[in-house]
Structure formats: C-alpha cells, structure tokens
Amino acid sequence: MFSRCGVVYALFVGSCALIGCGPSAPVESGPKGVYEQNCAKCHAQAGEPGGPPSIGASKGPKLSKIGAEPNRSADWLADYIRDPKSKKADSRMPAFGGTLTEEQIRSLAEYLAAKK
C-alpha cells in the first residue's frame, strides 16, 4: 500500500516524464551544436532540428546554402554573427558577440560558409 508521499512521488515522476523534465537529448558539439543551440530556433526549416514540426519555416532566412551567396565568406559571416548591424543596418538578427566566444563565432562562420 502506498503512503501519501509515495503517491505524490509517483505522480511527480509520471508528470515529469509526460512534460519532458527528464534528461534531454544529447547536445551536438562543434559548430553544428552552436548552430542548433543558437541559430536553429530562427533559421531552421520544417523537419530540421529546431524547426517547425511539419511545414513552413522559422522567422529567419534559410541558411542551407548561405555560403553560395555572393560575398558570404567566413570572415563576412563571422562579422555578421558578431554584430549584424555592422554589415546590414536594417538586420533584425541579434548580435552574438557577447554571447558566443570568438572560437564559436569563427567555427560557426566557417561551417555556414561551407554550405553551398
């Protein structure tokens, strides 16, 4: 027979399992992980990690071929990630210069520049 504490504990554990309080999925490392943690919520497309579940796109532009766009070198992208308004005055993207390390910005920029 369950005591009141046992019942409360069982309800708590069951609730956590239903709402996702348990361990999360492992986080990807390297530039792909930086992208998934910091960029995907705005740039992922349907079916991609962080994107809408079925159809459509997130609010930011699609980045799957960003490296093929004219003048989108790793240096340009790093500057843009660090401070978007330095490259595009009307950009709505937040600056990541204070959020990401220089190493993360550089690896992310190289990762994106390779997307062609």
Side-chain angles (χ1 to χ4, degrees), residues 29-111:
S29 64
K32 186 175 180 183
V34 172
Y35 174 84
E36 288 178 3
Q37 291 174 359
N38 297 279
C39 312
K41 63 185 167 198
C42 293
H43 293 284
Q45 306 300 301
E48 295 176 348
S54 55
I55 60 171
S58 299
K59 59 187 170 184
K62 186 175 181 178
L63 300 179
S64 62
K65 297 188 188 280
I66 188 74
E69 292 183 18
N71 303 316
R72 296 303 187 258
S73 67
D75 289 335
W76 190 95
L77 289 166
D79 290 343
Y80 190 79
I81 294 164
R82 195 177 298 106
D83 179 17
K85 294 198 185 304
S86 72
K87 295 293 183 185
K88 199 172 164 192
D90 63 343
S91 178
R92 298 184 317 167
M93 183 173 130
F96 284 90
T99 306
L100 300 175
T101 66
E102 279 302 309
E103 182 181 328
Q104 289 173 314
I105 290 171
R106 191 81 193 128
S107 67
L108 178 60
E110 290 170 1
Y111 171 76

